[in-house]
Amino acid sequence: MEQTIEVFNELKQFVGFDDEVDGQRLERLAPVFAEHGPTLTDAFYQRLQAHPGTAGQIAGRVDTLKQTHARWMAELFAGAYQVDYFHRRHRIGLVHVRVGVLPRWCAGIISFLRTCSLPIVLNSFSDRSEGAAHYGSLVKILDLDLMVINLAYEEERLRRLATFTGMSRKLIERCITKG
């Protein structure tokens, strides 16, 4: 797990996520998404229910999942994006792996949230450049969340492959990277 925390920090640096600056912007968005979040969550679950690739995975659990989504969204705007945040997001990724959500749906979900969040953020600021900066911080944290989910998929798939083949994870990783 330490390696993936290092990767998370590397990814934050790569996308230009500044814990202080972006964290403050995201905290300022908290009341905006406290107001608009339920509507966004409803639209999100309507989209999932309407698609054959995702509808079956949420059937009968939508109300519970909406509560989980609301907690997840609140954490986006909490202003703390260190090790504890990584661990919580990583666990979410592992849950998605365990219940069989395909990685492409996670990417699609983040895309949906980015797209729907743009007017919410921009309409909350009279200064367009300030709104754009806040939206940029939101995009960075959404993308980082997706990256952490992808790390969980990668780790779990390597673990399963190692268990199935009896090969060490290190050997499997070397085969993947070296061919």
Side-chain angles (χ1 to χ4, degrees), residues 162-173:
T163 299
F164 179 76
T165 64
M167 295 170 62
S168 74
R169 179 180 166 146
K170 191 172 191 168
L171 177 59
I172 293 169
E173 287 176 343

Side-chain angles (χ1 to χ4, degrees), residues 38-167:
T39 302
L40 181 59
T41 297
D42 287 342
F44 169 73
Y45 279 97
Q46 286 172 359
R47 176 68 55 100
L48 291 174
Q49 288 174 305
H51 196 281
T54 54
Q57 292 180 315
I58 64 170
R61 303 181 311 134
V62 172
D63 290 337
T64 301
L65 290 170
K66 282 183 179 183
Q67 293 171 5
T68 302
H69 186 259
R71 283 191 303 275
W72 172 82
M73 192 176 299
E75 286 183 0
L76 280 177
F77 306 106
Y81 309 98
Q82 298 296 326
V83 174
D84 289 341
Y85 182 86
F86 168 79
H87 285 299
R88 286 189 305 273
R89 290 329 207 217
H90 192 264
R91 278 191 301 274
I92 290 168
L94 290 174
V95 168
H96 283 80
V97 173
R98 191 185 74 231
V99 300
V101 176
L102 296 173
R104 67 178 172 255
W105 299 126
C106 294
I109 289 163
I110 295 297
S111 176
F112 177 82
L113 293 172
R114 273 192 232 105
T115 302
C116 292
S117 295
L118 178 60
I120 293 170
V121 173
L122 292 182
N123 291 332
S124 299
F125 293 91
S126 57
D127 179 340
R128 288 305 238 196
S129 63
E130 188 177 355
H134 283 73
Y135 180 70
S137 295
L138 177 58
V139 167
K140 290 178 202 176
I141 199 61
L142 287 171
D143 287 349
L144 286 166
D145 272 29
L146 179 58
M147 291 173 198
V148 172
I149 288 171
N150 286 336
L151 286 173
Y153 275 97
E154 178 183 327
E155 287 177 11
E156 183 59 17
R157 285 178 170 176
L158 287 172
R159 186 196 67 73
R160 289 177 184 182
L161 188 57
T163 299
F164 179 76
T165 64
M167 295 170 62

